[in-house]
Coordinates of all heavy atoms in Angstrom, one line a residue:
E167 N 28.3 -5.6 -67.2 CA 27.7 -6.1 -65.9 C 28.7 -6.1 -64.8 O 28.4 -6.4 -63.7 CB 27.2 -7.5 -66.2 CG 25.9 -7.6 -66.8 CD 25.9 -7.4 -68.2 OE1 27.0 -7.5 -68.9 OE2 24.8 -7.7 -68.8
E168 N 29.9 -5.7 -65.0 CA 30.8 -5.6 -63.8 C 30.4 -4.8 -62.7 O 30.6 -5.3 -61.5 CB 32.2 -5.0 -64.3 CG 33.2 -4.9 -63.4 CD 34.5 -4.3 -64.0 OE1 34.7 -4.0 -65.2 OE2 35.5 -4.0 -63.2
K169 N 29.7 -3.8 -63.0 CA 29.1 -2.9 -61.8 C 28.1 -3.6 -61.0 O 28.0 -3.2 -59.8 CB 28.6 -1.6 -62.4 CG 29.6 -0.8 -63.1 CD 29.1 0.5 -63.7 CE 30.0 1.3 -64.4 NZ 29.5 2.6 -64.9
N170 N 27.3 -4.5 -61.5 CA 26.2 -5.1 -60.8 C 26.4 -6.6 -60.4 O 25.5 -7.2 -59.6 CB 25.0 -4.8 -61.6 CG 24.4 -3.5 -61.6 OD1 24.7 -2.7 -60.7 ND2 23.7 -3.2 -62.5
I171 N 27.3 -7.2 -61.1 CA 27.4 -8.7 -60.9 C 27.4 -9.2 -59.5 O 26.8 -10.1 -59.1 CB 28.5 -9.4 -61.7 CG1 28.3 -10.9 -61.9 CG2 30.0 -8.9 -61.1 CD1 27.2 -11.3 -62.5
V172 N 28.1 -8.7 -58.5 CA 28.4 -9.0 -57.2 C 27.0 -8.7 -56.5 O 26.7 -9.6 -55.8 CB 29.5 -8.3 -56.5 CG1 29.5 -8.6 -55.0 CG2 30.9 -8.8 -57.2
Y173 N 26.5 -7.6 -56.8 CA 25.2 -7.3 -56.1 C 24.2 -8.3 -56.5 O 23.4 -8.9 -55.6 CB 24.7 -5.8 -56.4 CG 23.2 -5.6 -56.2 CD1 22.9 -5.2 -54.8 CD2 22.2 -5.7 -57.1 CE1 21.6 -5.1 -54.5 CE2 20.9 -5.4 -56.7 CZ 20.6 -5.0 -55.4 OH 19.3 -4.8 -55.1
I174 N 24.0 -8.6 -57.7 CA 23.0 -9.7 -58.3 C 23.3 -11.1 -57.6 O 22.3 -11.7 -57.2 CB 23.0 -9.6 -59.9 CG1 22.6 -8.3 -60.3 CG2 22.1 -10.8 -60.3 CD1 21.1 -7.9 -60.1
L175 N 24.5 -11.4 -57.6 CA 24.8 -12.7 -57.1 C 24.4 -12.8 -55.7 O 24.1 -13.9 -55.2 CB 26.3 -13.1 -57.4 CG 26.5 -13.3 -58.9 CD1 28.1 -13.6 -59.2 CD2 25.8 -14.5 -59.4
R176 N 24.8 -11.7 -54.9 CA 24.6 -11.8 -53.5 C 23.2 -11.9 -53.1 O 22.7 -12.7 -52.2 CB 25.2 -10.6 -52.8 CG 26.7 -10.7 -52.7 CD 27.3 -9.7 -51.9 NE 28.7 -9.7 -51.6 CZ 29.6 -8.7 -51.5 NH1 29.1 -7.5 -51.5 NH2 30.8 -9.1 -51.4
I177 N 22.2 -11.3 -53.9 CA 20.9 -11.4 -53.8 C 20.3 -12.9 -54.1 O 19.6 -13.4 -53.3 CB 20.0 -10.4 -54.7 CG1 20.3 -8.9 -54.3 CG2 18.6 -10.8 -54.9 CD1 19.7 -8.7 -53.0
L178 N 20.9 -13.5 -55.2 CA 20.5 -14.8 -55.6 C 21.0 -15.7 -54.6 O 20.2 -16.7 -54.3 CB 21.3 -15.1 -56.9 CG 20.6 -14.3 -58.0 CD1 21.4 -14.7 -59.4 CD2 19.2 -14.4 -58.3
K179 N 22.1 -15.5 -54.0 CA 22.6 -16.5 -52.9 C 21.8 -16.5 -51.7 O 21.7 -17.5 -50.9 CB 24.1 -16.3 -52.6 CG 25.1 -16.5 -53.7 CD 26.4 -16.1 -53.4 CE 27.1 -16.8 -52.4 NZ 27.3 -18.2 -52.4
T180 N 20.9 -15.5 -51.5 CA 20.1 -15.5 -50.3 C 18.7 -16.3 -50.6 O 18.0 -16.5 -49.6 CB 19.6 -14.1 -49.9 OG1 18.9 -13.5 -51.0 CG2 20.8 -13.2 -49.7
I181 N 18.5 -16.7 -51.8 CA 17.2 -17.4 -52.2 C 17.5 -18.9 -52.0 O 18.2 -19.6 -52.8 CB 16.8 -17.1 -53.6 CG1 16.6 -15.5 -53.6 CG2 15.6 -17.8 -53.9 CD1 16.4 -15.1 -55.0
S182 N 16.9 -19.5 -51.0 CA 17.1 -21.0 -50.7 C 16.9 -21.9 -51.8 O 17.4 -23.0 -51.8 CB 16.5 -21.4 -49.3 OG 15.0 -21.2 -49.3
E183 N 15.8 -21.5 -52.6 CA 15.3 -22.4 -53.6 C 16.4 -22.6 -54.7 O 16.3 -23.5 -55.5 CB 13.9 -22.0 -54.2 CG 12.7 -22.1 -53.2 CD 12.6 -20.9 -52.3 OE1 13.5 -19.9 -52.2 OE2 11.9 -20.9 -51.4
L184 N 17.2 -21.6 -54.9 CA 18.4 -21.8 -55.9 C 19.4 -22.6 -55.3 O 20.1 -22.2 -54.4 CB 18.7 -20.3 -56.2 CG 17.7 -19.4 -56.8 CD1 18.4 -18.0 -57.1 CD2 17.1 -19.9 -58.1
T185 N 19.6 -23.7 -55.9 CA 20.7 -24.6 -55.4 C 22.0 -24.5 -56.2 O 22.9 -25.2 -55.7 CB 20.1 -26.1 -55.4 OG1 19.7 -26.4 -56.7 CG2 18.9 -26.2 -54.5
E186 N 22.0 -23.9 -57.2 CA 23.1 -23.6 -58.0 C 23.1 -22.3 -58.8 O 22.0 -21.9 -59.2 CB 23.6 -24.8 -59.1 CG 22.6 -25.0 -60.2 CD 23.0 -26.1 -61.1 OE1 24.2 -26.3 -61.3 OE2 22.2 -26.6 -61.7
I187 N 24.2 -21.7 -58.8 CA 24.3 -20.4 -59.6 C 25.4 -20.6 -60.6 O 26.5 -20.8 -60.3 CB 24.6 -19.2 -58.6 CG1 23.5 -19.0 -57.7 CG2 24.8 -17.9 -59.5 CD1 23.8 -18.0 -56.5
I188 N 25.1 -20.2 -61.9 CA 26.0 -20.4 -63.0 C 26.0 -19.0 -63.6 O 25.1 -18.5 -64.1 CB 25.5 -21.5 -64.0 CG1 25.4 -22.7 -63.3 CG2 26.5 -21.5 -65.2 CD1 24.6 -23.9 -64.1
V189 N 27.3 -18.5 -63.9 CA 27.5 -17.3 -64.6 C 28.1 -17.6 -65.9 O 29.2 -18.3 -65.9 CB 28.3 -16.2 -63.8 CG1 28.7 -15.1 -64.5 CG2 27.6 -15.8 -62.5
V190 N 27.6 -17.2 -67.0 CA 28.2 -17.3 -68.2 C 28.8 -16.0 -68.7 O 28.0 -15.0 -68.9 CB 27.1 -18.0 -69.3 CG1 27.9 -18.1 -70.7 CG2 26.5 -19.2 -68.8
D191 N 30.1 -16.0 -68.9 CA 30.8 -14.9 -69.3 C 30.9 -15.0 -70.8 O 31.7 -16.0 -71.1 CB 32.2 -14.8 -68.6 CG 33.0 -13.7 -69.2 OD1 32.5 -12.6 -69.4 OD2 34.2 -13.8 -69.1
D192 N 30.5 -14.1 -71.6 CA 30.4 -14.4 -73.1 C 31.5 -13.6 -73.7 O 31.4 -12.6 -74.5 CB 29.1 -13.9 -73.6 CG 28.9 -14.2 -75.1 OD1 29.5 -15.3 -75.5 OD2 28.2 -13.6 -75.8
G193 N 32.8 -13.9 -73.2 CA 34.0 -13.4 -73.8 C 34.1 -11.9 -73.5 O 34.7 -11.0 -74.2
S194 N 33.6 -11.5 -72.3 CA 33.7 -10.1 -71.8 C 35.1 -9.6 -71.6 O 36.0 -10.4 -71.4 CB 32.8 -9.7 -70.6 OG 33.4 -10.5 -69.5
S195 N 35.4 -8.3 -71.7 CA 36.7 -7.7 -71.4 C 36.7 -7.0 -70.1 O 37.8 -6.6 -69.7 CB 37.1 -6.8 -72.6 OG 36.2 -5.7 -72.7
D196 N 35.7 -6.9 -69.3 CA 35.8 -6.5 -68.0 C 36.0 -7.5 -67.0 O 36.5 -8.7 -67.3 CB 34.5 -5.7 -67.7 CG 33.2 -6.6 -67.7 OD1 33.4 -7.9 -67.7 OD2 32.1 -6.1 -67.7
R197 N 35.8 -7.2 -65.7 CA 36.1 -8.1 -64.6 C 34.9 -8.9 -64.2 O 34.9 -9.5 -63.0 CB 36.6 -7.3 -63.5 CG 38.0 -6.6 -63.7 CD 38.7 -5.8 -62.8 NE 37.7 -5.3 -61.9 CZ 37.8 -5.5 -60.4 NH1 38.7 -6.3 -60.0 NH2 37.0 -5.0 -59.5
T198 N 33.9 -9.0 -64.9 CA 32.7 -9.8 -64.4 C 32.9 -11.2 -64.1 O 32.5 -11.6 -63.0 CB 31.7 -9.8 -65.6 OG1 31.3 -8.4 -65.9 CG2 30.4 -10.6 -65.2
A199 N 33.8 -12.0 -64.9 CA 34.0 -13.3 -64.6 C 34.8 -13.4 -63.3 O 34.6 -14.4 -62.5 CB 34.7 -14.0 -65.8
I200 N 35.9 -12.6 -63.1 CA 36.8 -12.6 -61.9 C 35.9 -12.3 -60.7 O 36.1 -13.1 -59.8 CB 37.9 -11.7 -62.1 CG1 38.9 -11.9 -63.3 CG2 38.8 -11.4 -60.8 CD1 39.8 -10.9 -63.8
L201 N 35.1 -11.3 -60.8 CA 34.3 -11.1 -59.6 C 33.3 -12.1 -59.3 O 33.3 -12.4 -58.0 CB 33.5 -9.6 -59.9 CG 34.4 -8.4 -60.0 CD1 33.6 -7.3 -60.4 CD2 35.2 -8.1 -58.7
A202 N 32.7 -12.7 -60.2 CA 31.8 -13.8 -60.0 C 32.3 -14.9 -59.3 O 31.9 -15.7 -58.4 CB 31.0 -14.0 -61.2
S203 N 33.7 -15.4 -59.9 CA 34.3 -16.4 -59.5 C 34.9 -16.4 -57.9 O 35.2 -17.4 -57.5 CB 35.5 -16.8 -60.5 OG 36.4 -15.9 -60.4
N204 N 35.0 -15.2 -57.6 CA 35.4 -15.0 -56.2 C 34.4 -15.2 -55.1 O 34.6 -15.1 -54.0 CB 36.0 -13.5 -56.1 CG 37.4 -13.2 -56.7 OD1 38.1 -14.3 -56.7 ND2 37.7 -12.1 -57.1
L205 N 33.2 -15.3 -55.7 CA 32.1 -15.7 -54.6 C 31.8 -17.1 -54.6 O 31.7 -17.9 -55.5 CB 30.8 -15.0 -55.1 CG 30.7 -13.5 -55.1 CD1 29.4 -12.9 -55.8 CD2 30.8 -13.0 -53.7
P206 N 31.9 -17.7 -53.2 CA 31.8 -19.1 -53.0 C 30.3 -19.6 -53.5 O 29.4 -18.7 -53.4 CB 31.7 -19.3 -51.6 CG 32.4 -18.1 -51.1 CD 32.2 -17.0 -52.1
G207 N 30.3 -20.7 -54.2 CA 29.2 -21.4 -54.6 C 28.6 -20.8 -56.0 O 27.6 -21.2 -56.4
V208 N 29.4 -20.0 -56.7 CA 29.1 -19.5 -57.9 C 30.0 -20.3 -59.0 O 31.3 -20.2 -58.9 CB 29.3 -17.9 -58.0 CG1 29.1 -17.5 -59.5 CG2 28.4 -17.3 -57.1
R209 N 29.5 -20.8 -60.0 CA 30.3 -21.4 -61.1 C 30.3 -20.6 -62.3 O 29.2 -20.0 -62.7 CB 29.6 -22.7 -61.6 CG 30.3 -23.6 -62.4 CD 29.5 -25.0 -62.8 NE 30.3 -25.5 -63.8 CZ 29.8 -26.8 -64.3 NH1 28.8 -27.3 -63.7 NH2 30.5 -27.4 -65.2
V210 N 31.4 -20.3 -62.7 CA 31.6 -19.5 -64.0 C 32.0 -20.2 -65.2 O 33.0 -21.0 -65.1 CB 32.7 -18.4 -63.7 CG1 32.8 -17.5 -64.9 CG2 32.2 -17.5 -62.5
I211 N 31.3 -20.0 -66.2 CA 31.6 -20.6 -67.5 C 32.0 -19.6 -68.4 O 31.3 -18.4 -68.5 CB 30.3 -21.3 -68.2 CG1 29.6 -22.2 -67.2 CG2 30.7 -21.8 -69.6 CD1 30.4 -23.5 -66.9
T212 N 33.2 -19.7 -69.1 CA 33.8 -18.6 -69.8 C 33.8 -19.0 -71.4 O 34.4 -20.0 -71.7 CB 35.2 -18.2 -69.3 OG1 35.0 -17.7 -68.0 CG2 35.7 -17.1 -70.2
N213 N 33.2 -18.1 -72.1 CA 33.5 -18.4 -73.6 C 34.5 -17.5 -74.0 O 34.7 -16.3 -73.7 CB 32.1 -17.7 -74.3 CG 30.8 -18.5 -74.2 OD1 31.0 -19.6 -73.8 ND2 29.7 -18.0 -74.4
T214 N 35.5 -18.0 -74.7 CA 36.7 -17.4 -75.1 C 36.5 -16.2 -76.0 O 37.3 -15.2 -76.2 CB 37.8 -18.3 -75.8 OG1 37.2 -19.0 -76.8 CG2 38.2 -19.4 -74.7
K215 N 35.3 -16.2 -76.9 CA 35.0 -15.0 -77.5 C 33.6 -14.9 -77.5 O 32.7 -15.7 -77.1 CB 35.4 -15.4 -79.2 CG 34.8 -16.5 -79.7 CD 35.1 -16.6 -81.2 CE 34.3 -17.7 -81.9 NZ 34.5 -17.8 -83.3
N216 N 33.1 -13.8 -77.9 CA 31.6 -13.4 -77.8 C 30.9 -14.4 -78.8 O 31.0 -14.3 -79.9 CB 31.3 -11.9 -78.1 CG 29.9 -11.6 -77.9 OD1 29.1 -11.9 -78.6 ND2 29.7 -10.9 -76.9
M217 N 30.0 -15.1 -78.2 CA 29.1 -16.1 -78.8 C 27.7 -15.6 -79.0 O 26.8 -16.3 -79.7 CB 29.1 -17.6 -78.1 CG 30.5 -18.0 -78.0 SD 31.3 -18.5 -79.5 CE 30.4 -20.1 -79.9
G218 N 27.3 -14.5 -78.3 CA 25.9 -14.0 -78.2 C 25.0 -14.7 -77.1 O 25.5 -15.6 -76.5
K219 N 24.0 -14.0 -76.9 CA 23.2 -14.4 -75.7 C 22.7 -15.7 -75.8 O 22.6 -16.5 -75.0 CB 22.1 -13.3 -75.6 CG 21.3 -13.6 -74.3 CD 20.3 -12.4 -74.0 CE 19.6 -12.9 -72.6 NZ 19.2 -11.7 -72.0
T220 N 22.1 -16.0 -77.0 CA 21.4 -17.4 -77.2 C 22.4 -18.4 -76.9 O 22.2 -19.5 -76.1 CB 20.8 -17.5 -78.6 OG1 19.9 -16.5 -78.8 CG2 20.1 -18.9 -78.7
R221 N 23.7 -18.4 -77.5 CA 24.6 -19.6 -77.3 C 25.2 -19.6 -75.9 O 25.3 -20.6 -75.2 CB 25.8 -19.4 -78.3 CG 25.3 -19.8 -79.6 CD 26.6 -19.9 -80.5 NE 26.1 -20.2 -81.8 CZ 26.8 -20.2 -82.9 NH1 28.0 -19.8 -82.7 NH2 26.4 -20.6 -84.1
S222 N 25.1 -18.3 -75.1 CA 25.6 -18.3 -73.7 C 24.5 -18.9 -72.9 O 24.7 -19.7 -72.0 CB 25.8 -16.7 -73.3 OG 27.0 -16.3 -74.0
V223 N 23.3 -18.7 -73.1 CA 22.2 -19.3 -72.6 C 22.2 -20.9 -72.6 O 22.2 -21.6 -71.6 CB 20.7 -18.8 -72.9 CG1 19.7 -19.6 -72.4 CG2 20.7 -17.3 -72.4
I224 N 22.4 -21.3 -73.8 CA 22.5 -22.8 -74.1 C 23.7 -23.2 -73.3 O 23.6 -24.4 -72.8 CB 22.6 -23.0 -75.5 CG1 21.4 -22.6 -76.2 CG2 23.0 -24.5 -75.8 CD1 21.3 -22.7 -77.7
A225 N 24.9 -22.6 -73.2 CA 26.0 -23.0 -72.5 C 25.7 -23.3 -71.0 O 26.1 -24.2 -70.3 CB 27.1 -22.1 -72.7
G226 N 25.0 -22.2 -70.4 CA 24.6 -22.4 -69.1 C 23.6 -23.6 -68.8 O 23.8 -24.4 -67.9
I227 N 22.6 -23.8 -69.7 CA 21.6 -24.8 -69.5 C 22.2 -26.2 -69.7 O 22.1 -27.1 -68.9 CB 20.6 -24.7 -70.5 CG1 19.7 -23.5 -70.3 CG2 19.7 -26.0 -70.6 CD1 18.7 -23.1 -71.4
K228 N 23.3 -26.4 -70.5 CA 24.0 -27.6 -70.5 C 24.7 -28.1 -69.4 O 24.9 -29.2 -69.2 CB 25.0 -27.5 -71.8 CG 24.3 -27.6 -73.2 CD 25.3 -27.5 -74.3 CE 24.7 -27.7 -75.6 NZ 25.9 -27.8 -76.7
V229 N 25.1 -27.2 -68.6 CA 25.8 -27.6 -67.4 C 25.1 -27.5 -66.1 O 25.5 -28.0 -65.2 CB 27.2 -26.6 -67.2 CG1 28.2 -26.8 -68.4 CG2 26.8 -25.2 -66.9
A230 N 23.8 -27.1 -66.3 CA 22.9 -27.1 -65.0 C 22.5 -28.3 -64.6 O 22.3 -29.3 -65.6 CB 21.7 -26.2 -65.5
K231 N 22.4 -28.7 -63.4 CA 22.1 -29.9 -62.8 C 20.6 -30.0 -62.5 O 20.2 -31.1 -62.2 CB 22.9 -30.1 -61.6 CG 24.3 -30.2 -61.9 CD 25.1 -30.4 -60.5 CE 26.6 -30.4 -60.8 NZ 27.4 -30.3 -59.6
N232 N 19.9 -28.8 -62.6 CA 18.4 -28.9 -62.2 C 17.6 -28.8 -63.5 O 18.0 -28.4 -64.5 CB 18.2 -27.7 -61.3 CG 19.0 -27.9 -60.0 OD1 18.7 -28.7 -59.2 ND2 20.0 -26.9 -59.8
D233 N 16.3 -29.3 -63.2 CA 15.3 -29.2 -64.4 C 14.7 -27.9 -64.4 O 14.4 -27.4 -65.6 CB 14.2 -30.3 -64.1 CG 14.7 -31.6 -64.2 OD1 15.7 -31.8 -64.9 OD2 14.2 -32.5 -63.6
A234 N 14.5 -27.1 -63.3 CA 14.0 -25.8 -63.3 C 15.2 -24.7 -63.4 O 16.0 -24.9 -62.6 CB 13.1 -25.6 -62.2
I235 N 15.1 -23.8 -64.3 CA 16.2 -22.9 -64.4 C 15.6 -21.5 -64.4 O 14.6 -21.2 -65.1 CB 17.0 -23.2 -65.7 CG1 17.6 -24.5 -65.7 CG2 17.9 -22.1 -66.1 CD1 18.2 -25.0 -67.0
L236 N 16.2 -20.6 -63.6 CA 15.8 -19.2 -63.6 C 17.0 -18.5 -64.3 O 18.2 -18.5 -63.9 CB 15.7 -18.7 -62.1 CG 15.7 -17.2 -61.9 CD1 14.4 -16.7 -62.4 CD2 15.9 -16.8 -60.4
M237 N 16.8 -17.6 -65.2 CA 17.7 -16.9 -65.9 C 17.6 -15.4 -65.5 O 16.5 -14.8 -65.6 CB 17.6 -17.0 -67.5 CG 17.9 -18.4 -67.9 SD 17.7 -18.5 -69.6 CE 17.6 -20.3 -69.7
V238 N 18.8 -14.8 -65.2 CA 18.7 -13.3 -64.6 C 19.8 -12.7 -65.3 O 21.0 -13.3 -65.3 CB 18.8 -13.3 -63.0 CG1 18.9 -12.0 -62.6 CG2 17.9 -14.2 -62.3
D239 N 19.6 -11.4 -65.8 CA 20.7 -10.7 -66.4 C 21.3 -10.0 -65.2 O 20.7 -9.5 -64.3 CB 20.2 -9.7 -67.4 CG 19.9 -10.5 -68.8 OD1 20.4 -11.4 -69.0 OD2 19.1 -9.8 -69.5
A240 N 22.6 -9.8 -65.4 CA 23.4 -9.2 -64.3 C 23.2 -7.5 -64.3 O 23.6 -6.9 -63.3 CB 24.8 -9.3 -64.4
D241 N 22.5 -7.0 -65.3 CA 22.5 -5.5 -65.3 C 21.0 -5.1 -64.8 O 20.6 -4.0 -64.9 CB 22.5 -5.0 -66.7 CG 21.6 -5.7 -67.8 OD1 20.9 -6.5 -67.4 OD2 21.6 -5.3 -69.0
L242 N 20.4 -6.0 -64.0 CA 19.1 -5.7 -63.4 C 19.4 -4.7 -62.4 O 20.3 -4.7 -61.7 CB 18.5 -6.9 -62.8 CG 17.9 -8.0 -63.7 CD1 17.4 -9.2 -62.9 CD2 16.8 -7.4 -64.5
V243 N 18.4 -3.7 -62.2 CA 18.5 -2.7 -61.3 C 17.4 -2.9 -60.2 O 16.2 -3.0 -60.6 CB 18.4 -1.2 -61.9 CG1 18.5 -0.2 -60.8 CG2 19.5 -1.1 -62.9
G244 N 17.7 -2.8 -58.9 CA 16.7 -2.9 -58.0 C 16.2 -4.3 -57.6 O 15.2 -4.4 -56.9
L245 N 16.9 -5.3 -58.0 CA 16.6 -6.8 -57.7 C 16.6 -7.0 -56.3 O 17.5 -6.6 -55.6 CB 17.5 -7.7 -58.4 CG 17.1 -9.2 -58.2 CD1 15.9 -9.6 -58.9 CD2 18.3 -10.0 -58.7
E246 N 15.5 -7.5 -55.8 CA 15.4 -8.0 -54.3 C 15.1 -9.4 -54.2 O 14.4 -10.0 -55.2 CB 14.5 -7.2 -53.6 CG 14.9 -5.5 -53.6 CD 13.8 -4.8 -52.9 OE1 12.9 -5.3 -52.3 OE2 13.9 -3.5 -53.0
S247 N 15.5 -10.1 -53.1 CA 15.2 -11.6 -53.0 C 13.7 -11.8 -53.1 O 13.2 -12.9 -53.5 CB 15.7 -12.1 -51.6 OG 15.2 -11.5 -50.6
G248 N 12.8 -10.9 -52.8 CA 11.3 -11.1 -52.8 C 10.7 -11.1 -54.4 O 9.7 -11.6 -54.3
H249 N 11.5 -10.7 -55.2 CA 11.1 -10.7 -56.6 C 10.9 -12.0 -57.1 O 10.2 -12.4 -57.9 CB 12.0 -9.9 -57.5 CG 11.9 -8.4 -57.3 ND1 13.0 -7.5 -57.0 CD2 10.8 -7.6 -57.3 CE1 12.6 -6.4 -56.9 NE2 11.3 -6.4 -56.9

């Protein structure tokens, strides 16, 4: 997701209904977490080792402050704020 994470996060940041953005880095070896943490208003949760998608989703939900949660993968292509 290193190639798309900044693009995806910038799109999400334009959507006023989203009041928090949490990125769960599941023990990746690329720069995804670093790139995400450099964007203001983005919270990064890092698993020290790969725990799998389900456990990563649960980790993000546990720290979320809102009742309604939107989950988006960073490898989406063509995401626009209107979606």
